[in-house]
Amino acid sequence: MMTPNARDALETLRSAAEFNWAIVPILVIVIWLYANEVERRRWGVVFGGLALLAADTFNELWNSAFFHLTGRAPVWGAPGHSSYQILIGWNIEIVLMFTVLGLAAAKLLPNDRTLTILGIPNRVFFVGVNAALAVGIEIVLNKMGVLTWDWWWWSPGFPFIIWLIGYVPFFAACFWVHDLPDNRARVRAVGAMFGINLLFAIGLGLAGWL
């Protein structure tokens, strides 16, 4: 049986009824942030940010597929007010947030890839720490009722699963693309990630699972 949280999220799915003009200037700010990095030719930061967004997109697609497979609930849902609810656990505000998060995470990386922090390679350290901070924020959002979890194994009681599946891949993808040797490699990597997402989305759309 479908959970109330899942039903609430479906009610606003791809509806413009809650649209708020505030999202437009926020979008412009996101564009400006990327333009600022392009102007400075910080391509690793730009493509790293896009890689994190691509990783998040993949997660949201399989979350939608999981919901349709179980018929009960997604792993996470995002009911409530949103300017535009794209998928059952994904709205335009979340998209813009992750777009900026990847940019910020890449900008904070030390230039010295061999640097260690507490004896841990800095890339590994920042993947773990950033993922842990993100999980902490999600727990707060869950307590507020704007991010819902209806499965016992995806809950504040099991933060390691959220950390490992929900966020470690995001930052790992961001840092991996950031550190690629040239822009050709970065374009190929990010293009492949979004290409896989596109094929996944088409498949889910044809199945009626979006």
Side-chain angles (χ1 to χ4, degrees):
M1 181 179 295
M2 189 182 303
T3 65
N5 288 327
R7 192 173 295 110
D8 288 345
L10 285 179
E11 287 180 359
T12 58
L13 190 63
R14 289 186 285 280
S15 168
E18 298 288 341
F19 176 78
N20 189 313
W21 276 100
I23 205 69
V24 177
I26 294 173
L27 174 61
V28 173
I29 291 171
V30 172
I31 293 171
W32 178 83
L33 290 171
Y34 272 83
N36 191 49
E37 298 306 315
V38 169
E39 180 185 21
R40 288 163 172 75
R41 305 184 69 81
R42 295 172 180 161
W43 300 110
V45 172
V46 171
F47 285 105
L50 293 175
L52 190 144
L53 176 62
D56 173 57
T57 303
F58 182 81
N59 263 17
E60 297 296 347
L61 290 170
W62 73 250
N63 184 47
S64 180
F66 183 91
F67 165 65
H68 286 280
L69 282 170
T70 64
R72 178 178 178 270
V75 179
W76 60 87
H81 298 293
S82 168
S83 283
Y84 194 70
Q85 184 81 22
I86 304 168
L87 297 174
I88 194 166
W90 205 38
N91 55 43
I92 187 62
E93 291 85 0
I94 293 173
V95 171
L96 296 176
M97 182 271 292
F98 277 116
T99 304
V100 176
L101 179 62
L103 206 66
K107 284 175 67 67
L108 291 174
L109 285 177
N111 291 326
D112 183 1
R113 302 179 192 179
T114 66
L115 177 70
T116 61
I117 302 174
L118 301 177
I120 304 170
N122 70 81
R123 269 38 177 180
V124 175
F125 177 85
F126 280 111
V127 165
V129 169
N130 286 332
L133 290 173
V135 171
I137 292 171
E138 285 220 351
I139 290 174
V140 173
L141 293 173
N142 174 253
K143 296 296 185 182
M144 293 171 62
V146 296
L147 183 67
T148 59
W149 298 333
D150 288 322
W151 298 93
W152 64 268
W153 40 266
W154 194 279
S155 68
F158 295 87
F160 178 75
I161 296 177
I162 305 172
W163 177 84
L164 182 62
I165 299 176
Y167 282 102
V168 165
F170 288 14
F171 293 104
C174 175
F175 298 166
W176 170 64
V177 169
H178 175 276
D179 289 342
L180 286 174
D182 54 51
N183 286 336
R184 180 175 296 180
R186 294 183 182 114
V187 169
R188 284 199 300 263
V190 173
M193 293 172 72
F194 278 110
I196 291 170
N197 287 338
L198 178 60
L199 293 175
F200 194 7
I202 290 173
L204 293 178
L206 292 174
W209 287 7
L210 287 181

